[in-house]
Amino acid sequence: TARRKPICSLEAPEPTDCAVSEDLFRELYDKLQAPISRFECGAKCAPHNGGEPVCCSTQHAVPVVDKAEWRLLRSRSDLWHRFKPYDAAARDIVAELPSTCMAVECKGARHCERENRSLSCRAFPFFPYIDREGRFIGLSYYWIFEDRCWVISNLQVVDMQFVGEFVAAYDLLIARDKQEYEGFRDHSVSMRRVFSRWNRFIPLIGRDGGYFKVMPKTGRVLPCDPARYPTHAPYKEKVRSAAAAP
């Protein structure tokens, strides 16, 4: 099968004068430790993604870290190394990164050290959704992974402890780094534009754990039964029954 273009995490901000330090990332790691779900989601997606969880393979997603985060990761473990581009698309991704950031790669899912995951790994596939009024109101996902990430088709399995820790971590990050906030705000605008073109609502997990839908043309946020959230191939047929069993 054809190799998919790798996708960089939108954790990468433009160069900024903000003092982003190793201590900040140490705080963020302390705040966001919970697993995304009690299900082993990697076992659900790996059979459809070349045997590797989609979030653990640079064939699908290239983690991007701030250089301060890189220094912290390297001081804690030898799990991570610089990402080596394997084709023209990957070289373009690395070339387009701002000078404050770098692309990295871990040893893979079989060698995972959960306490030494990067922030983007801990959060995947979610980002903080910023509404039209500029408020961080909940979690939505990187839609480019709809066809690969099992969790995106099963948002009802996301653990509420994870949601709370995600909110605490990203409240801290966007309070400390204006450029990160602006990046997530712009990505939320892009999501509304894309989903408006697709004539689809945006699934949203609220800050306090409720389920909602965002009407992209107006920005209106309404309660939603997660059973109404769309599912995506290859998880479309068996997705609900799969979520029902560990």
Side-chain angles (χ1 to χ4, degrees):
T1 58
R3 174 181 284 167
R4 292 185 176 94
K5 179 180 177 180
I7 306 298
C8 274
S9 163
L10 295 180
E11 298 295 321
E14 295 297 320
T16 175
D17 293 330
C18 296
V20 180
S21 68
E22 295 169 48
D23 286 341
L24 171 60
F25 285 100
R26 191 175 289 109
E27 285 187 70
L28 294 169
Y29 289 0
D30 287 343
K31 288 183 180 295
L32 183 50
Q33 299 186 49
I36 196 170
S37 170
R38 67 185 180 89
F39 300 98
E40 185 58 51
C41 58
K44 303 288 189 182
C45 74
H48 304 286
N49 294 292
E52 289 284 340
V54 62
C55 57
C56 298
S57 169
T58 54
Q59 296 294 314
H60 300 284
V62 178
V64 172
V65 298
D66 186 278
K67 288 183 177 177
E69 184 176 11
W70 168 247
R71 291 193 297 270
L72 176 61
L73 288 169
R74 292 292 289 169
S75 73
R76 292 164 63 119
S77 171
D78 65 353
L79 177 66
W80 294 89
H81 56 267
R82 289 177 181 269
F83 171 66
K84 296 180 180 179
Y86 49 74
D87 61 11
R91 286 192 291 274
D92 288 344
I93 286 171
V94 173
E96 292 169 2
L97 290 176
S99 60
T100 54
C101 298
M102 56 188 293
V104 298
E105 185 174 17
C106 72
K107 294 179 180 179
R110 293 175 182 82
H111 305 281
C112 183
E113 301 170 12
R114 293 191 62 80
E115 70 278 11
N116 291 319
R117 292 170 297 154
S118 70
L119 184 63
S120 59
C121 290
R122 294 164 191 250
F124 186 89
F126 297 107
F127 74 95
Y129 178 84
I130 310 297
D131 71 4
R132 284 188 167 189
E133 285 69 49
R135 301 171 300 183
F136 166 26
I137 62 170
L139 290 65
S140 198
Y141 56 76
Y142 293 110
W143 61 92
I144 192 71
F145 294 103
E146 284 185 338
D147 65 334
R148 284 166 274 177
C149 177
W150 179 82
V151 169
I152 289 174
S153 288
N154 286 278
L155 294 178
Q156 77 280 4
V157 307
V158 176
D159 189 83
M160 290 302 107
Q161 182 178 348
F162 170 84
V163 173
E165 293 187 8
F166 181 102
V167 169
Y170 280 92
D171 273 345
L172 174 61
L173 179 61
I174 64 180
R176 295 278 188 91
D177 191 334
K178 179 182 178 182
Q179 202 69 48
E180 285 280 7
Y181 168 78
E182 292 175 349
F184 293 130
R185 180 198 61 195
D186 292 348
H187 195 63
S188 300
V189 170
S190 295
M191 191 174 199
R192 288 193 291 273
R193 185 181 303 118
V194 168
F195 277 64
S196 179
R197 186 168 65 246
W198 289 346
N199 196 29
R200 287 172 47 190
F201 65 77
I202 296 171
L204 182 80
I205 302 177
R207 289 174 59 98
D208 297 324
Y211 299 102
F212 301 90
K213 60 181 179 181
V214 179
M215 311 311 293
K217 293 182 180 179
T218 65
R220 188 179 180 191
V221 180
L222 301 170
C224 186
D225 182 344
R228 294 194 58 207
Y229 289 160
T231 59
H232 310 279
Y235 311 112
K236 211 168 180 63
E237 296 301 323
K238 299 180 180 179
V239 65
R240 297 303 172 191
S241 59

